[in-house]
Amino acid sequence: MAWLTVISHKMRSFLTILGIVIGTASIIALMTIISGVTDSINEEVATFGADRMTVQIEDASKNGVSVAELDRLEAIDGVRSVSPTTTQQTDVYVTGQTSTQSIIGKSNSYFDDSTVATGRGLTPVDVSQQTHVALLGDTLAKEAFPTTSPLGETIVVGGIRYTVVGTLAPSSEFSMSTDEAIVIPVTTALQQFHQNTIASFDIYTEAGQSETVNEAVTQQLTTAFNGRDTFTVTSFEDALASIDQINALLSMLLVGIASISLLVGGIGIMNMMLVSVTERTSEIGLRKALGATPGKIRQQFLFESVLLSLLGGFVGVVVGGLLAFGLTLVMGVPFTLASSTIGLALGFSILIGVVFGYIPARKASNLQPIEALRNA
């Protein structure tokens, strides 16, 4: 009976559920896109190294830590390796042109399959023997050698010849940019640029040991700097937790905004049901005269209201899913339409139908049979 009532007024029913469709589609699309963005960030962090922390020294008097102090940090239980980083600007001669480039000193711990595009990374021998080998950043390699491979070529860094042994993959958004830089062994960089301390380094930890290692590193560095808090330790797990928290708050905010459309749709349903009660006064009077209880009348109109909102919810899920699929495809993030998202949207639409359908249903159930038939 509820279905026949809905399809007998197709245009009115369509306009009534339009607000529900828009609200549900908005919730589905927003939550799916946010979920996809979150998954993309988590995947990027996991690829870059979730079990990793970065230490930045900011002590003006000491400028950093020595190689011996790095070795002591590497000896901490739970630490897999320590990867120091030095940076220096100097003149570089490449393919007949001289320009100022950023020279980054790294150890072999920095390199894996995701950081090297062609050739090889630095080896322990390069670091221990202070060899003059270099890797070119992605942008620099393409600009300097647009048609040929740079592997085996010679470049001049600060007046010293280096052999190119590899090129770097494009930089991650979670790391310092190396696209226009040149990477050489950290020991070679310390020697060439007359440095004896390192102000920045990464610590790679065993799985699940980040918190323990963080405490041990903080304690050891505090001792090394005589109790001065002149360094920062940034854990990617902490950063990931912060990102998840921000995304959760953003999801709640956006869903709250999208829910306004559902409320508008609910008002539309209530308006239609009130009109329906007025139009069907004689039907209500006849049913009550034949013995229908107020509860049955109320149940009938509530069911119609819920059916309208549920129809709007189902259409909204389809529209929102298609919209989210298109947007995630354009944004390049994973499409993950969770069942919990669909359940939330449909549940909210049903709730809207019940809440806004109650007043018309109550009005219909309170009509007196004689008055209803007289006013028909």
PDB file of all heavy atoms in Angstrom, residues 263-280:
ATOM      1  N   LEU A 263      18.417  16.920   6.639  1.00  0.00           N
ATOM      2  CA  LEU A 263      17.391  17.596   7.433  1.00  0.00           C
ATOM      3  C   LEU A 263      16.404  18.327   6.521  1.00  0.00           C
ATOM      4  O   LEU A 263      15.187  18.311   6.758  1.00  0.00           O
ATOM      5  CB  LEU A 263      18.043  18.575   8.407  1.00  0.00           C
ATOM      6  CG  LEU A 263      18.916  17.958   9.507  1.00  0.00           C
ATOM      7  CD1 LEU A 263      19.550  19.044  10.347  1.00  0.00           C
ATOM      8  CD2 LEU A 263      18.085  17.021  10.379  1.00  0.00           C
ATOM      9  N   VAL A 264      16.945  18.983   5.477  1.00  0.00           N
ATOM     10  CA  VAL A 264      16.073  19.651   4.509  1.00  0.00           C
ATOM     11  C   VAL A 264      15.168  18.629   3.828  1.00  0.00           C
ATOM     12  O   VAL A 264      13.969  18.853   3.629  1.00  0.00           O
ATOM     13  CB  VAL A 264      16.910  20.418   3.467  1.00  0.00           C
ATOM     14  CG1 VAL A 264      16.017  20.981   2.368  1.00  0.00           C
ATOM     15  CG2 VAL A 264      17.689  21.540   4.138  1.00  0.00           C
ATOM     16  N   GLY A 265      15.760  17.462   3.475  1.00  0.00           N
ATOM     17  CA  GLY A 265      14.965  16.395   2.875  1.00  0.00           C
ATOM     18  C   GLY A 265      13.897  15.891   3.824  1.00  0.00           C
ATOM     19  O   GLY A 265      12.781  15.569   3.404  1.00  0.00           O
ATOM     20  N   GLY A 266      14.217  15.816   5.114  1.00  0.00           N
ATOM     21  CA  GLY A 266      13.242  15.389   6.113  1.00  0.00           C
ATOM     22  C   GLY A 266      12.077  16.344   6.209  1.00  0.00           C
ATOM     23  O   GLY A 266      10.907  15.929   6.341  1.00  0.00           O
ATOM     24  N   ILE A 267      12.368  17.638   6.119  1.00  0.00           N
ATOM     25  CA  ILE A 267      11.292  18.635   6.143  1.00  0.00           C
ATOM     26  C   ILE A 267      10.394  18.466   4.918  1.00  0.00           C
ATOM     27  O   ILE A 267       9.167  18.597   4.991  1.00  0.00           O
ATOM     28  CB  ILE A 267      11.893  20.048   6.198  1.00  0.00           C
ATOM     29  CG1 ILE A 267      12.634  20.248   7.534  1.00  0.00           C
ATOM     30  CG2 ILE A 267      10.812  21.105   6.024  1.00  0.00           C
ATOM     31  CD1 ILE A 267      13.397  21.547   7.620  1.00  0.00           C
ATOM     32  N   GLY A 268      11.027  18.142   3.770  1.00  0.00           N
ATOM     33  CA  GLY A 268      10.243  17.887   2.558  1.00  0.00           C
ATOM     34  C   GLY A 268       9.324  16.693   2.722  1.00  0.00           C
ATOM     35  O   GLY A 268       8.163  16.718   2.272  1.00  0.00           O
ATOM     36  N   ILE A 269       9.839  15.629   3.350  1.00  0.00           N
ATOM     37  CA  ILE A 269       9.008  14.449   3.592  1.00  0.00           C
ATOM     38  C   ILE A 269       7.837  14.799   4.519  1.00  0.00           C
ATOM     39  O   ILE A 269       6.699  14.384   4.282  1.00  0.00           O
ATOM     40  CB  ILE A 269       9.861  13.319   4.194  1.00  0.00           C
ATOM     41  CG1 ILE A 269      10.803  12.745   3.126  1.00  0.00           C
ATOM     42  CG2 ILE A 269       8.987  12.204   4.765  1.00  0.00           C
ATOM     43  CD1 ILE A 269      11.736  11.678   3.638  1.00  0.00           C
ATOM     44  N   MET A 270       8.118  15.533   5.573  1.00  0.00           N
ATOM     45  CA  MET A 270       7.052  15.912   6.511  1.00  0.00           C
ATOM     46  C   MET A 270       5.987  16.750   5.808  1.00  0.00           C
ATOM     47  O   MET A 270       4.787  16.548   6.012  1.00  0.00           O
ATOM     48  CB  MET A 270       7.644  16.688   7.689  1.00  0.00           C
ATOM     49  CG  MET A 270       6.614  17.079   8.737  1.00  0.00           C
ATOM     50  SD  MET A 270       7.344  17.775  10.242  1.00  0.00           S
ATOM     51  CE  MET A 270       8.054  19.291   9.576  1.00  0.00           C
ATOM     52  N   ASN A 271       6.424  17.655   4.939  1.00  0.00           N
ATOM     53  CA  ASN A 271       5.472  18.505   4.215  1.00  0.00           C
ATOM     54  C   ASN A 271       4.587  17.666   3.301  1.00  0.00           C
ATOM     55  O   ASN A 271       3.355  17.855   3.251  1.00  0.00           O
ATOM     56  CB  ASN A 271       6.248  19.540   3.403  1.00  0.00           C
ATOM     57  CG  ASN A 271       5.337  20.491   2.664  1.00  0.00           C
ATOM     58  OD1 ASN A 271       4.512  21.167   3.265  1.00  0.00           O
ATOM     59  ND2 ASN A 271       5.471  20.531   1.336  1.00  0.00           N
ATOM     60  N   MET A 272       5.218  16.701   2.587  1.00  0.00           N
ATOM     61  CA  MET A 272       4.426  15.857   1.689  1.00  0.00           C
ATOM     62  C   MET A 272       3.441  15.001   2.469  1.00  0.00           C
ATOM     63  O   MET A 272       2.287  14.806   2.061  1.00  0.00           O
ATOM     64  CB  MET A 272       5.359  14.958   0.873  1.00  0.00           C
ATOM     65  CG  MET A 272       4.593  13.970  -0.010  1.00  0.00           C
ATOM     66  SD  MET A 272       5.648  12.769  -0.805  1.00  0.00           S
ATOM     67  CE  MET A 272       4.421  11.640  -1.481  1.00  0.00           C
ATOM     68  N   MET A 273       3.887  14.454   3.584  1.00  0.00           N
ATOM     69  CA  MET A 273       3.016  13.584   4.370  1.00  0.00           C
ATOM     70  C   MET A 273       1.846  14.365   4.959  1.00  0.00           C
ATOM     71  O   MET A 273       0.727  13.852   5.079  1.00  0.00           O
ATOM     72  CB  MET A 273       3.813  12.889   5.472  1.00  0.00           C
ATOM     73  CG  MET A 273       4.900  11.944   4.969  1.00  0.00           C
ATOM     74  SD  MET A 273       4.278  10.697   3.831  1.00  0.00           S
ATOM     75  CE  MET A 273       3.107   9.828   4.859  1.00  0.00           C
ATOM     76  N   LEU A 274       2.084  15.631   5.352  1.00  0.00           N
ATOM     77  CA  LEU A 274       0.986  16.457   5.858  1.00  0.00           C
ATOM     78  C   LEU A 274      -0.038  16.711   4.762  1.00  0.00           C
ATOM     79  O   LEU A 274      -1.255  16.677   4.998  1.00  0.00           O
ATOM     80  CB  LEU A 274       1.536  17.784   6.401  1.00  0.00           C
ATOM     81  CG  LEU A 274       2.289  17.709   7.730  1.00  0.00           C
ATOM     82  CD1 LEU A 274       2.949  19.037   8.050  1.00  0.00           C
ATOM     83  CD2 LEU A 274       1.350  17.291   8.864  1.00  0.00           C
ATOM     84  N   VAL A 275       0.459  16.975   3.544  1.00  0.00           N
ATOM     85  CA  VAL A 275      -0.452  17.157   2.413  1.00  0.00           C
ATOM     86  C   VAL A 275      -1.222  15.865   2.145  1.00  0.00           C
ATOM     87  O   VAL A 275      -2.423  15.875   1.867  1.00  0.00           O
ATOM     88  CB  VAL A 275       0.340  17.599   1.159  1.00  0.00           C
ATOM     89  CG1 VAL A 275      -0.566  17.596  -0.073  1.00  0.00           C
ATOM     90  CG2 VAL A 275       0.949  18.972   1.363  1.00  0.00           C
ATOM     91  N   SER A 276      -0.494  14.731   2.241  1.00  0.00           N
ATOM     92  CA  SER A 276      -1.117  13.433   2.002  1.00  0.00           C
ATOM     93  C   SER A 276      -2.229  13.158   3.019  1.00  0.00           C
ATOM     94  O   SER A 276      -3.287  12.615   2.682  1.00  0.00           O
ATOM     95  CB  SER A 276      -0.060  12.333   2.062  1.00  0.00           C
ATOM     96  OG  SER A 276      -0.619  11.062   1.835  1.00  0.00           O
ATOM     97  N   VAL A 277      -2.000  13.530   4.277  1.00  0.00           N
ATOM     98  CA  VAL A 277      -3.019  13.340   5.315  1.00  0.00           C
ATOM     99  C   VAL A 277      -4.271  14.144   4.970  1.00  0.00           C
ATOM    100  O   VAL A 277      -5.406  13.667   5.092  1.00  0.00           O
ATOM    101  CB  VAL A 277      -2.464  13.740   6.700  1.00  0.00           C
ATOM    102  CG1 VAL A 277      -3.592  13.789   7.732  1.00  0.00           C
ATOM    103  CG2 VAL A 277      -1.389  12.763   7.135  1.00  0.00           C
ATOM    104  N   THR A 278      -4.077  15.376   4.502  1.00  0.00           N
ATOM    105  CA  THR A 278      -5.210  16.223   4.142  1.00  0.00           C
ATOM    106  C   THR A 278      -5.979  15.636   2.961  1.00  0.00           C
ATOM    107  O   THR A 278      -7.212  15.636   2.940  1.00  0.00           O
ATOM    108  CB  THR A 278      -4.712  17.641   3.787  1.00  0.00           C
ATOM    109  OG1 THR A 278      -4.007  18.179   4.900  1.00  0.00           O
ATOM    110  CG2 THR A 278      -5.874  18.557   3.440  1.00  0.00           C
ATOM    111  N   GLU A 279      -5.207  15.132   1.952  1.00  0.00           N
ATOM    112  CA  GLU A 279      -5.854  14.584   0.766  1.00  0.00           C
ATOM    113  C   GLU A 279      -6.598  13.281   1.064  1.00  0.00           C
ATOM    114  O   GLU A 279      -7.563  12.937   0.391  1.00  0.00           O
ATOM    115  CB  GLU A 279      -4.800  14.321  -0.323  1.00  0.00           C
ATOM    116  CG  GLU A 279      -4.207  15.590  -0.926  1.00  0.00           C
ATOM    117  CD  GLU A 279      -3.146  15.262  -1.968  1.00  0.00           C
ATOM    118  OE1 GLU A 279      -2.708  14.093  -2.012  1.00  0.00           O
ATOM    119  OE2 GLU A 279      -2.773  16.168  -2.729  1.00  0.00           O
ATOM    120  N   ARG A 280      -6.120  12.535   2.047  1.00  0.00           N
ATOM    121  CA  ARG A 280      -6.670  11.197   2.315  1.00  0.00           C
ATOM    122  C   ARG A 280      -7.539  11.167   3.583  1.00  0.00           C
ATOM    123  O   ARG A 280      -7.633  10.142   4.270  1.00  0.00           O
ATOM    124  CB  ARG A 280      -5.520  10.197   2.425  1.00  0.00           C
ATOM    125  CG  ARG A 280      -4.745  10.070   1.123  1.00  0.00           C
ATOM    126  CD  ARG A 280      -3.367   9.497   1.314  1.00  0.00           C
ATOM    127  NE  ARG A 280      -3.390   8.151   1.848  1.00  0.00           N
ATOM    128  CZ  ARG A 280      -2.286   7.479   2.201  1.00  0.00           C
ATOM    129  NH1 ARG A 280      -1.095   8.059   2.079  1.00  0.00           N
ATOM    130  NH2 ARG A 280      -2.390   6.261   2.680  1.00  0.00           N
TER     131      ARG A 280
END
